[in-house]
Structure formats: C-alpha cells, structure tokens
Amino acid sequence: MRVVNFNLILPNNKVLDLNNSGLIQARFNKYKSSEMITNTNVLTDLEMSLFDKTGTDLLLKLQQETGSSKLRFNYGFDIELSDVYEMTITNIGTEYSQGSAIVTISGIGSQYGIRFPAEYYKEGTSIKSIIKKLADRNGWLLTDEPDNPNLKTKFIDDIYDTIKLPEPLIKLNTQTDIQFITEKLKPILDATAVELYSQDRNLDFFIVSLQNIPTKSNTRQLALKVEKNDKRATTKRIWHFTYGFSPDSNIIRINQQINQSFLVDGLNLVIPAAEGEALISQLKDKYGNLYQSKYKERVDSIIYSKKDIISKWLKELNLPVLDIEQFQINYQFVDVDSLGNKTLEQIVLDQLQNALSIVNTLQITIIGNNKIEGGDLIDLQVATRIKSTQGNRNTYIFKKNPYLSKRWRIIGITEDISVSGGYTTTLNLVSDVSSKDLMVRVS
C-alpha cells in the first residue's frame, strides 16, 4: 500500500513531514504557464489545513524557521514525490479550541528549480558535453531505456560533437539548469540548423523537454530530451487511462457535461484581422446597419468550404448536429499588426476547433499523479456494463463507450491531499479534435 506524503522544506533544508505534523488537507489548482517547456507549473487557490495539538508548536515553526512569507513543499506517494514548489503565503489563519489549533495557510505558488552556483564555459566547449554534465548532476536520464546502461544516449543524438560554443558563456546562479539549456544553449543549436526549403536560419529547430518515463523496476525518472524538431511542432504528452474494463483502474470517478447552448445563441469566434479589417467590419450605415464586410465574407467562405472536416469534428464531439448550417456563428474581429506565419484559413479553423472543443467537457478524478501537466493529452478508454441474455440466463458484457472513449486535452488540474481521502488528482478535460502529429507517449 502506498503512503501519501506531503513535506514542507524549510530554509535550513529541514523537512517537516506533515503526515506526522498534523496535515488535515492540502488543495490547489495546477496550471502550465508554457506548453513549450515542462516544469513551468503555476499553483493557484492553494490552501493547507494543519492540526497543531499543542496550539503553538507548528505555528512557531512556520513563523520562526521560515523567516519570510515563502515556503517550499513537495507531495505524492512514498518516494514518488513531485518536484519542489515554492509558495508565497498570502494569509495564515488560526482557530483555537481546547488547547489545540487548526492552522490554515493560503497562497500562490510556482515550480521551484534547483539552482547551482554561477559557472564559466570557455569558447570551443562542446555543447553536448555541457548538456551531459547538467543532466548528470540533476539525475536526468538521457535514454528511453534507463535499465540498459549500455544503450547510447539517443535523446541527444541530434546534437553533433562538432557544435561548440562560439564565444565564452556564463551560467548565472539565478538560472536553473533547464533554463540555461533552453535560453542559452538552444539558440546556439537552432543557429546550426537550416530550413530545408527556404534556407532560413535562426528558426525554432530544437525541442528541449523533461519527460517522465517508466523504468522496468516500476519507478519513474525524468529524462532530458533534446532533439531536432524537423516539423517544428509542439510536443505533447499522452497519458493512457481505462475505466470499467478491470477493477484496478486508476480512475475514481467520471463526470461529463455537454453544453449545447450554442445551438440557440450561436458559436462565438474571435478572429484576428490585420490592416484595419476589424474596424471596417464594425462600420454602420446611416440606418444603423453593418456594412457588408469583405473580411467576414472571406471567413464565411473558409468555414463553408471545410464543411466536411467540420462535420467530422461535430461527430467526434457527439453533438446532435452534424451540419454547420444548422447553427449561427458570431464573429468578433480584433485588430492585429499581422497574422504571423499562419494563413487566415489556418487561424479560422484553429479558432473554430478551440470553440467547439469546450462544448463537450469531462472531469475525471484519478489516483494522485503529480507528473501530469496542463496541455497533456488523455487517451481514455471507458467500458459500459450491458445486460445480455444467453440461453435461459442473464449475463453481462462490457462494451466500449463511444462517447467517452477518445482523446481529451487537459485544461485544468486540481490536486487534493488529505488524511481521510488520501491523494487524488482531478483533471478538467475538453475534447481533442486536433489532427497534429503527437510524438511523445507515456503510460
């Protein structure tokens, strides 16, 4: 049986195990501040409730040993603890009763990166050797088969030994190692790659990420992955969960909501428009009627030319309509300097896809998992128990639920740790109807 752990790390690196110091409950929402980089989680609505049987001991430790408004903590099961988070305390409340006290701490937090002293790397140093050094001291793996020590470090095979520092480089003591790799070393690697067709340089060619991978000994470790991004697509992680097929599912409960109000009110799309098109689309004649906007006509044309694709999305979302002409689309055009590298068609379809995805939402509560992050994908397979008659006796068969068994995208996470309820993670999901290639899989 796994034991739930929640540890406060004091400034003198003394660890206060809240399991033995009166943890009642800790609850917070976890969001990812950047989908391009792991370990950039932000915590909100963070609240801890602690029981102090002496009425003063725990409160004194928090006030005297911290010496500031910041606390660090990690949590999880047994030795499978989360990364360390730093919490800024916004409020401490104490309720006294019969000589004891309940201490409630509220605040906000972010992921805390380990920082090493400043370092100097001289010109001509191999970038691959620097990355290997940083990975080694952080305990990051450089292979997807950690139990095979003879396997070459394939995660950084796209970095040639011949790529050297063009000039001396200083790593500041304020930078974490992953920040240094991403902010300082990655641009040098990007400058060594050339776009296949246009020969452009200095584009976003390399992916740097920390990934959770299982080992054969049923533990998980972080692996540093640096690879050439030939498609220059955002890497997504896919987690696989099943429910109903066996009694040992990690899913505790599922709650689905389908909001079909857009069938009455229309679907609202916010479309960026360059060169003053947004202003033109809002002009009215002397009778108060909007001028017929050429820009709106272009957007309409794009949507109705893709009716087959959109019908497929509507079917995947299990909505009662499969024809986009059966409901209204409301546009809001906003001025931008330019549309960037995307065409208007790509932007319109992306916006429509995002708007449709939040119509069908799902909330699942699972056995606690501190490694899942916002933006990750969930490959969910759910079985429904159906009564069946065979001969003269009734039996039950399990059939895959087509409304739930598909891919979902995480838009919100709530972590809940308590003495009575253990440790659970609640995931807020929307349907993922993206057709982009997804390159990273985790279980």
Side-chain angles (χ1 to χ4, degrees), residues 96-140:
Y96 295 96
S97 176
Q98 298 180 346
S100 61
I102 294 178
V103 181
T104 303
I105 307 172
S106 303
I108 56 175
S110 60
Q111 203 145 348
Y112 182 88
I114 299 173
R115 290 171 170 80
F116 293 90
E119 294 171 324
Y120 173 84
Y121 295 100
K122 64 181 181 180
E123 179 182 344
T125 304
S126 163
I127 289 184
K128 181 179 266 190
S129 70
I130 297 174
I131 292 176
K132 284 183 177 180
K133 172 190 172 182
L134 301 182
D136 181 63
R137 73 185 185 189
N138 283 276
W140 298 332

Coordinates of all heavy atoms in Angstrom, one line a residue, residues 96-140:
Y96 N -8.4 28.3 17.5 CA -8.0 27.6 18.7 C -9.3 27.0 19.4 O -10.4 27.5 19.4 CB -7.5 28.6 19.7 CG -6.1 29.2 19.3 CD1 -6.1 30.4 18.7 CD2 -4.9 28.5 19.5 CE1 -4.9 31.0 18.2 CE2 -3.7 29.1 19.1 CZ -3.7 30.3 18.5 OH -2.5 30.8 18.0
S97 N -9.1 25.8 19.9 CA -10.1 25.0 20.6 C -9.5 24.0 21.5 O -8.8 23.1 21.1 CB -11.1 24.4 19.6 OG -12.0 23.6 20.2
Q98 N -9.9 24.1 22.8 CA -9.5 23.2 23.8 C -8.0 22.9 23.8 O -7.5 21.8 23.9 CB -10.2 21.8 23.6 CG -11.8 22.0 23.8 CD -12.5 20.7 23.6 OE1 -11.9 19.7 23.1 NE2 -13.8 20.7 24.0
G99 N -7.2 24.0 23.7 CA -5.8 23.9 23.8 C -5.1 23.5 22.6 O -3.8 23.6 22.5
S100 N -5.8 23.1 21.5 CA -5.2 22.8 20.2 C -5.5 23.9 19.2 O -6.3 24.8 19.5 CB -5.6 21.4 19.7 OG -7.0 21.4 19.6
A101 N -5.0 23.8 18.0 CA -5.3 24.8 17.0 C -5.3 24.2 15.6 O -4.6 23.2 15.3 CB -4.2 25.9 17.0
I102 N -6.1 24.7 14.7 CA -6.1 24.4 13.3 C -5.5 25.6 12.6 O -6.0 26.7 12.7 CB -7.5 24.1 12.8 CG1 -8.0 22.8 13.4 CG2 -7.5 23.9 11.3 CD1 -9.4 22.4 13.0
V103 N -4.4 25.4 11.9 CA -3.7 26.4 11.2 C -4.0 26.3 9.7 O -3.9 25.2 9.1 CB -2.2 26.3 11.3 CG1 -1.5 27.5 10.6 CG2 -1.8 26.4 12.8
T104 N -4.5 27.4 9.1 CA -4.9 27.4 7.7 C -4.0 28.4 6.9 O -3.9 29.5 7.3 CB -6.4 27.8 7.4 OG1 -7.2 26.9 8.2 CG2 -6.7 27.8 6.0
I105 N -3.3 27.9 5.9 CA -2.3 28.7 5.1 C -2.8 28.8 3.7 O -3.2 27.8 3.1 CB -0.9 28.0 5.1 CG1 -0.4 27.7 6.5 CG2 0.1 28.9 4.4 CD1 0.8 26.8 6.5
S106 N -2.9 30.0 3.2 CA -3.4 30.3 1.8 C -2.2 30.9 1.1 O -1.4 31.7 1.7 CB -4.6 31.1 1.8 OG -5.6 30.5 2.5
G107 N -2.2 30.7 -0.3 CA -1.2 31.4 -1.0 C -1.2 31.0 -2.5 O -2.1 30.3 -3.0
I108 N -0.1 31.4 -3.2 CA 0.1 31.0 -4.6 C 1.4 30.4 -4.7 O 2.3 30.7 -3.9 CB -0.1 32.2 -5.6 CG1 0.9 33.4 -5.1 CG2 -1.5 32.8 -5.6 CD1 0.9 34.5 -6.1
G109 N 1.7 29.7 -5.8 CA 3.0 29.0 -5.9 C 3.4 28.8 -7.3 O 2.6 28.9 -8.2
S110 N 4.7 28.4 -7.4 CA 5.2 28.1 -8.7 C 6.3 27.0 -8.5 O 6.8 26.8 -7.4 CB 5.8 29.3 -9.4 OG 6.9 29.8 -8.7
Q111 N 6.6 26.3 -9.6 CA 7.6 25.3 -9.5 C 9.0 25.8 -9.2 O 9.4 26.9 -9.7 CB 7.7 24.5 -10.9 CG 8.3 23.1 -10.7 CD 7.6 22.2 -11.7 OE1 6.6 22.5 -12.3 NE2 8.1 21.0 -11.8
Y112 N 9.7 25.2 -8.3 CA 10.9 25.7 -7.8 C 12.1 24.9 -8.4 O 12.1 23.7 -8.3 CB 11.0 25.5 -6.2 CG 12.2 26.0 -5.6 CD1 12.3 27.4 -5.2 CD2 13.3 25.2 -5.4 CE1 13.5 27.8 -4.6 CE2 14.5 25.7 -4.7 CZ 14.5 27.0 -4.4 OH 15.7 27.4 -3.7
G113 N 12.9 25.5 -9.2 CA 14.0 24.9 -9.8 C 15.3 24.9 -9.0 O 15.6 26.0 -8.4
I114 N 16.0 23.8 -8.9 CA 17.3 23.8 -8.2 C 18.3 24.7 -8.9 O 18.5 24.5 -10.1 CB 17.8 22.4 -8.0 CG1 16.8 21.5 -7.3 CG2 19.1 22.3 -7.3 CD1 17.1 20.1 -7.2
R115 N 18.9 25.6 -8.2 CA 19.9 26.4 -8.8 C 21.3 26.1 -8.3 O 21.5 26.0 -7.1 CB 19.6 27.9 -8.5 CG 18.3 28.4 -9.3 CD 17.9 29.8 -8.8 NE 16.8 30.3 -9.6 CZ 15.6 30.0 -9.5 NH1 15.2 29.2 -8.7 NH2 14.7 30.6 -10.3
F116 N 22.3 26.0 -9.2 CA 23.7 25.8 -8.9 C 24.4 27.1 -9.0 O 24.0 28.0 -9.6 CB 24.3 24.7 -9.8 CG 23.6 23.3 -9.7 CD1 22.5 23.0 -10.4 CD2 24.2 22.4 -8.7 CE1 22.0 21.7 -10.2 CE2 23.6 21.2 -8.6 CZ 22.5 20.8 -9.3
P117 N 25.6 27.1 -8.4 CA 26.4 28.3 -8.4 C 26.7 28.7 -9.9 O 26.7 27.9 -10.8 CB 27.7 28.0 -7.7 CG 27.3 26.8 -6.8 CD 26.3 26.1 -7.6
A118 N 27.1 30.0 -10.1 CA 27.5 30.5 -11.4 C 28.7 29.7 -12.0 O 29.5 29.3 -11.2 CB 27.8 32.0 -11.4
E119 N 28.7 29.5 -13.3 CA 29.7 28.7 -14.0 C 30.2 29.5 -15.2 O 29.4 30.2 -15.9 CB 29.2 27.3 -14.3 CG 28.9 26.5 -13.1 CD 28.2 25.2 -13.5 OE1 27.4 25.2 -14.4 OE2 28.5 24.2 -12.8
Y120 N 31.4 29.2 -15.6 CA 32.0 29.8 -16.8 C 32.4 28.7 -17.8 O 33.1 27.7 -17.4 CB 33.2 30.6 -16.4 CG 34.0 31.2 -17.6 CD1 33.6 32.4 -18.2 CD2 35.1 30.5 -18.1 CE1 34.3 32.8 -19.3 CE2 35.8 31.0 -19.2 CZ 35.4 32.1 -19.8 OH 36.1 32.6 -20.9
Y121 N 31.9 28.8 -19.0 CA 32.3 27.8 -20.1 C 33.0 28.6 -21.1 O 32.6 29.6 -21.7 CB 31.0 27.2 -20.6 CG 30.2 26.4 -19.7 CD1 29.1 26.9 -19.0 CD2 30.6 25.1 -19.4 CE1 28.4 26.1 -18.1 CE2 29.9 24.3 -18.4 CZ 28.8 24.8 -17.8 OH 28.1 24.1 -16.9
K122 N 34.2 28.1 -21.4 CA 35.1 28.8 -22.4 C 34.7 28.5 -23.8 O 34.1 27.5 -24.1 CB 36.6 28.4 -22.1 CG 36.9 27.0 -22.4 CD 38.4 26.7 -22.1 CE 38.7 25.3 -22.3 NZ 40.2 25.0 -22.1
E123 N 35.1 29.4 -24.7 CA 34.9 29.2 -26.1 C 35.4 27.9 -26.6 O 36.5 27.5 -26.2 CB 35.6 30.4 -26.9 CG 35.4 30.4 -28.4 CD 36.1 31.5 -29.1 OE1 36.5 32.4 -28.4 OE2 36.3 31.4 -30.3
G124 N 34.6 27.2 -27.5 CA 35.1 26.0 -28.0 C 34.6 24.8 -27.3 O 34.9 23.6 -27.7
T125 N 33.9 25.0 -26.1 CA 33.4 23.8 -25.3 C 32.3 23.2 -26.1 O 31.4 23.8 -26.7 CB 32.9 24.3 -24.0 OG1 34.0 25.0 -23.3 CG2 32.5 23.1 -23.1
S126 N 32.3 21.8 -26.1 CA 31.2 21.1 -26.8 C 29.9 21.2 -26.1 O 29.8 21.1 -24.9 CB 31.6 19.6 -26.8 OG 30.5 18.8 -27.1
I127 N 28.9 21.6 -26.8 CA 27.5 21.8 -26.2 C 27.0 20.5 -25.7 O 26.4 20.4 -24.6 CB 26.6 22.5 -27.2 CG1 27.0 24.0 -27.4 CG2 25.1 22.4 -26.7 CD1 26.1 24.7 -28.3
K128 N 27.3 19.4 -26.4 CA 26.8 18.1 -26.0 C 27.4 17.8 -24.6 O 26.7 17.2 -23.7 CB 27.1 17.0 -27.0 CG 26.6 15.7 -26.6 CD 26.9 14.6 -27.7 CE 25.8 14.4 -28.6 NZ 26.0 13.2 -29.5
S129 N 28.7 18.1 -24.4 CA 29.3 17.7 -23.1 C 28.7 18.6 -22.0 O 28.6 18.1 -20.9 CB 30.8 18.0 -23.2 OG 31.1 19.4 -23.3
I130 N 28.3 19.8 -22.3 CA 27.7 20.7 -21.2 C 26.4 20.1 -20.8 O 26.0 19.9 -19.6 CB 27.5 22.1 -21.7 CG1 28.9 22.8 -22.1 CG2 26.8 22.9 -20.7 CD1 28.7 24.1 -22.7
I131 N 25.6 19.7 -21.8 CA 24.2 19.1 -21.5 C 24.4 17.8 -20.8 O 23.6 17.6 -19.8 CB 23.5 18.9 -22.9 CG1 23.1 20.2 -23.5 CG2 22.2 18.1 -22.6 CD1 22.4 20.2 -24.8
K132 N 25.4 17.0 -21.1 CA 25.6 15.7 -20.4 C 25.9 16.0 -18.9 O 25.4 15.3 -18.0 CB 26.7 14.9 -21.0 CG 26.2 14.2 -22.3 CD 27.4 13.3 -22.8 CE 26.9 12.6 -24.1 NZ 28.0 11.7 -24.6
K133 N 26.7 17.0 -18.7 CA 27.1 17.4 -17.3 C 25.9 17.8 -16.5 O 25.7 17.4 -15.4 CB 28.2 18.5 -17.4 CG 28.5 19.1 -16.0 CD 29.4 20.3 -16.1 CE 29.6 21.0 -14.7 NZ 30.4 22.2 -14.8
L134 N 25.1 18.7 -17.1 CA 23.9 19.2 -16.4 C 22.9 18.1 -16.1 O 22.3 18.1 -15.0 CB 23.3 20.4 -17.2 CG 24.2 21.6 -17.5 CD1 23.4 22.6 -18.3 CD2 24.8 22.2 -16.3
A135 N 22.8 17.2 -17.1 CA 21.8 16.1 -16.9 C 22.3 15.2 -15.8 O 21.5 14.7 -14.9 CB 21.7 15.3 -18.2
D136 N 23.6 15.0 -15.7 CA 24.2 14.1 -14.7 C 23.9 14.6 -13.3 O 23.5 13.9 -12.4 CB 25.6 13.8 -15.0 CG 26.3 12.9 -14.0 OD1 25.8 11.7 -14.0 OD2 27.2 13.3 -13.2
R137 N 24.2 15.9 -13.1 CA 24.1 16.4 -11.7 C 22.6 16.6 -11.3 O 22.4 16.7 -10.1 CB 24.9 17.7 -11.6 CG 24.2 18.9 -12.2 CD 25.2 20.1 -12.1 NE 24.7 21.3 -12.6 CZ 25.4 22.4 -12.7 NH1 26.7 22.4 -12.4 NH2 24.9 23.6 -13.1
N138 N 21.7 16.6 -12.2 CA 20.3 16.7 -11.9 C 19.6 15.3 -11.8 O 18.5 15.2 -11.4 CB 19.5 17.6 -12.9 CG 19.8 19.1 -12.7 OD1 19.1 19.7 -11.9 ND2 20.7 19.6 -13.4
G139 N 20.4 14.3 -12.2 CA 19.8 13.0 -12.2 C 18.9 12.7 -13.3 O 18.0 11.8 -13.3
W140 N 19.0 13.5 -14.4 CA 18.1 13.3 -15.6 C 18.7 12.2 -16.4 O 20.0 12.2 -16.7 CB 18.1 14.6 -16.4 CG 17.5 15.8 -15.7 CD1 16.5 15.8 -14.8 CD2 17.8 17.2 -16.0 NE1 16.2 17.0 -14.4 CE2 17.0 17.9 -15.1 CE3 18.6 17.8 -16.9 CZ2 17.0 19.3 -15.1 CZ3 18.6 19.2 -16.8 CH2 17.8 19.9 -16.0

